[in-house]
Amino acid sequence: QVQLVESGGGLVQAGGSLRLSCAASGLTFSTYAMGWFRQAPGKEREFVAALRWNGANTYYADSVKGRFTISRDSAKNTGFLQMNSLKPEDTAVYYCAAGQFRTDPLAYRYWGQGTQVTVSS
């Protein structure tokens, strides 16, 4: 059974940092691209960042470029999203996913349950 479990969300002031983790079980994370998405209340799920299966490439949404960093520890089968210089508009439920190296959520087969990130002004 494949499971992706996110952690590390919480409440932070604007300008602060959080590091999200995504622990995978039932699959070898390094054989899939990893993606992070987010969904704010009343909005569609949007792409945040992706890491190619071999770690050779990353891709970021313009809104987070230069502030967020996606990475993976293959030995621990865990992915990460380091979020710096957080803004109130970053407030959302953040999801990790495993699939193809795309920005389209339909390209990702496996999803975590999400972790809430709230940034106060």
Side-chain angles (χ1 to χ4, degrees), residues 45-62:
R45 189 168 299 190
E46 66 171 354
F47 169 80
V48 175
L51 176 70
R52 194 180 289 276
W53 70 272
N54 58 3
N57 302 94
T58 58
Y59 189 74
Y60 296 93
D62 287 343

Side-chain angles (χ1 to χ4, degrees), residues 53-72:
W53 70 272
N54 58 3
N57 302 94
T58 58
Y59 189 74
Y60 296 93
D62 287 343
S63 58
V64 306
K65 201 173 295 183
R67 300 187 297 123
F68 291 11
T69 303
I70 188 172
S71 63
R72 184 177 59 213

Side-chain angles (χ1 to χ4, degrees), residues 88-102:
E89 51 263 44
D90 294 319
T91 295
V93 177
Y94 283 71
Y95 300 89
C96 72
Q100 300 179 48
F101 186 60
R102 299 283 189 272

